[in-house]
Amino acid sequence: MKKPTILVLNTGSSSIKYALFAAQTTLPRIIHGQIDRIGYRPQHHCNGMTQPLPMPQEATHANILDWLTGHLRNEHPELHIMAAGHRVVHGGQSFKGPVIVSEDVVTALQKLAPLAPAHQPHNLAGIAAIARHWPHAPQVACFDTAFHRTQPRIAQMFAIPRQLTNEGVLRYGFHGLSYHYISTQLPKYIEHPKGKVIVAHLGNGASMCAMQNQRSIATTMGFTALDGLVMGRRCGELDPGVIFYMLRELNMTVAEVEEQLGRKSGLLGVSTISSDMRDLLLSEDPAAKEAVDLFVYQACKKIGALAAALGGIDALVFTGGIGENSAPIRDRILHNCIWLGFEPSNKAEIATPACLTKVGSKPSAHVIKTDEERIIAVQTWKITNNATSLRELR
Ligand code: ADP
């Protein structure tokens, strides 16, 4: 008998992460893999091993997703894909939690694509690839914006004409699947999980979320995933006047401005060397040092702002590629935030999850590894299980 399995696709701007989970309550992970550097020498890693990827260098997300789903089907005839879960970056105002994908849902998600042009079309390509290879498997869309729908209205508003706000120009926030997963882990590692917690998801994309009662009350990303912290290639917080200057005085087109701020800014733009924090930390170049300084400066400034939104801070959690792996960046951020009361530990911590502060430090600081694929699997399992039992009842 084939093994009932949930397939998860987490399609990002330059990578596709995937995982297969046994469809049972504890959802053990059977396989996990990643195809990264899409558009620039894509590479495939499966269960920690690099594998050949029979695709041309310029293969698109859609080509790779089609290959990947076919490959998983052919390589694992012992698995029965009973449902597929997807990370979908933008759920707008209407999607406040996971939904089973229907034609109407796809149409609504296509309409939101202009708000997340680097992600949403790839998320939809993943849904189309699964529908081609497993047409009978229910698919579930799990949203990066959904976790932030608990923000108070005032935290979601921009000071723009009310008409625009009414039309949905709001601070949606992103990385919600990561924050949701971390929120489920807080009781394991933090003394007051329901207290005032700032989670810093620092990766290629970077943001922070202020949580109270394990729910989002404020976040640094906005209407799109461009706002907030310095990112690998995105500018983060910016005076909107810079955009008018680029358009009017520098005669750039809208597409050029978008490319400059969304793909050529951030760590890459400031350093002129790399968008990868590891490269910058190794570099002697003053521009690389300045890019790292700006990353740390903006992170500390946003921690201060989110602590103000919370009215205090009980704990700080680092996650994401930089947050989980880069001790020098964590140390610098923590030492610059000593004014908030942190007492950094002198121990060289090696394990994740780890506590970065001395016993009794208030606030405390921690590293917790995120797991977006697991939260997608959990959401998919819950919603499809319910749907199955509903069908059985009818
Ligand atoms: P994404 O937002 O694409 O999911 P990740 O969360 O995987 O990104 O983070 C990727 C970034 O993490 C890389 O660009 C790199 O800068 C950083 N990173 C990974 N490992 C380390 C490390 N050991 N030291 C510093 N930075 C690291």
Side-chain angles (χ1 to χ4, degrees):
M1 203 175 94
K2 290 191 174 195
K3 193 170 179 178
T5 304
I6 291 178
L7 167 58
V8 168
L9 287 181
N10 175 354
T11 310
S13 54
S14 62
S15 70
I16 298 165
K17 293 176 186 156
Y18 63 91
L20 292 148
F21 295 85
Q24 59 195 63
T25 322
T26 52
L27 291 168
R29 193 179 325 240
I30 312 169
I31 294 165
H32 63 97
Q34 177 163 357
I35 295 165
D36 51 23
R37 299 169 185 255
I38 297 176
Y40 171 72
R41 293 200 212 147
Q43 284 190 336
H44 181 202
H45 312 276
C46 182
N47 286 349
M49 312 272 281
T50 304
Q51 290 200 352
L53 179 66
M55 301 295 287
Q57 284 205 16
E58 62 284 1
T60 63
H61 279 73
N63 302 147
I64 293 176
L65 283 161
D66 207 36
W67 171 81
L68 175 67
T69 41
H71 169 78
L72 291 173
R73 197 184 56 183
N74 297 338
E75 290 290 303
H76 299 286
E78 76 284 8
L79 303 181
H80 163 59
I81 304 299
M82 56 161 286
H86 299 265
R87 171 186 178 206
V88 176
V89 165
H90 219 303
Q93 289 193 85
S94 26
F95 297 109
K96 296 185 169 70
V99 286
I100 295 198
V101 174
S102 63
E103 272 182 32
D104 288 349
V105 168
V106 169
T107 307
L109 298 181
Q110 281 165 340
K111 286 195 184 138
L112 291 165
L115 304 188
H119 293 90
Q120 198 92 335
H122 307 320
N123 304 152
L124 287 162
I127 292 173
I130 299 278
R132 269 195 296 282
H133 289 282
W134 292 280
H136 302 297
Q139 301 199 54
V140 178
C142 305
F143 297 98
D144 257 336
T145 45
F147 187 73
H148 300 293
R149 299 285 55 78
T150 51
Q151 288 181 103
R153 176 171 157 85
I154 211 82
Q156 298 189 48
M157 285 177 74
F158 298 114
I160 52 176
R162 186 161 285 273
Q163 178 63 23
L164 287 169
T165 307
N166 293 345
E167 284 168 13
V169 183
L170 293 164
R171 185 179 291 286
Y172 288 102
F174 299 89
H175 285 141
L177 294 164
S178 171
Y179 292 129
H180 191 154
Y181 176 77
I182 298 290
S183 77
T184 65
Q185 300 301 299
L186 294 179
K188 286 193 206 162
Y189 306 112
I190 287 180
E191 203 182 340
H192 302 293
K194 296 205 173 292
K196 297 167 178 173
V197 179
I198 296 177
V199 181
H201 178 114
L202 309 179
N204 273 321
S207 72
M208 290 183 186
C209 175
M211 290 184 201
Q212 191 148 28
N213 281 323
Q214 294 167 265
R215 290 165 166 230
S216 172
I217 66 119
T219 188
T220 57
M221 278 181 174
F223 181 61
T224 69
L226 268 184
D227 197 8
L229 302 174
V230 175
M231 297 178 233
R233 292 165 175 268
R234 287 173 249 167
C235 59
E237 183 187 278
L238 181 83
D239 173 356
V242 173
I243 296 173
F244 307 132
Y245 177 79
M246 293 168 90
L247 288 169
R248 200 182 296 126
E249 304 300 324
L250 305 182
N251 291 320
M252 288 187 182
T253 63
V254 172
E256 284 166 348
V257 174
E258 211 166 8
E259 172 77 1
Q260 290 286 314
L261 301 180
R263 304 265 324 137
K264 301 212 162 137
S265 292
L267 294 175
L268 174 67
V270 178
S271 69
T272 72
I273 293 171
S274 172
S275 62
D276 193 305
M277 185 59 90
R278 285 166 290 201
D279 297 340
L280 302 184
L281 290 170
L282 287 173
S283 171
E284 300 282 327
D285 193 304
K289 187 180 168 313
E290 201 164 51
V292 176
D293 289 349
L294 188 55
F295 181 92
V296 170
Y297 172 79
Q298 275 290 71
C300 296
K301 210 169 137 189
K302 294 293 179 194
I303 289 171
L306 293 179
L310 284 162
I313 172 169
D314 296 315
L316 172 66
V317 174
F318 290 99
T319 194
I322 299 173
E324 289 164 22
N325 300 304
S326 181
I329 295 294
R330 290 194 304 251
D331 284 352
R332 286 185 59 182
I333 293 174
L334 211 49
H335 280 87
N336 284 332
C337 289
I338 278 185
W339 63 276
L340 281 165
F342 291 106
E343 292 182 64
S345 149
N346 300 323
K347 270 191 303 187
E349 20 73 31
I350 35 166
T352 304
C355 181
L356 305 173
T357 41
K358 290 181 182 162
V359 177
S361 169
K362 196 172 169 340
S364 55
H366 311 260
V367 184
I368 303 179
K369 189 170 164 38
T370 196
D371 193 345
E372 289 164 322
E373 289 77 35
R374 177 160 295 279
I375 204 79
I376 296 169
V378 169
Q379 293 186 350
T380 303
W381 167 247
K382 280 189 182 162
I383 197 168
T384 51
N385 240 357
N386 277 345
T388 310
S389 42
L390 277 177
R391 262 204 305 276
E392 279 163 6
L393 281 175
R394 274 191 205 122

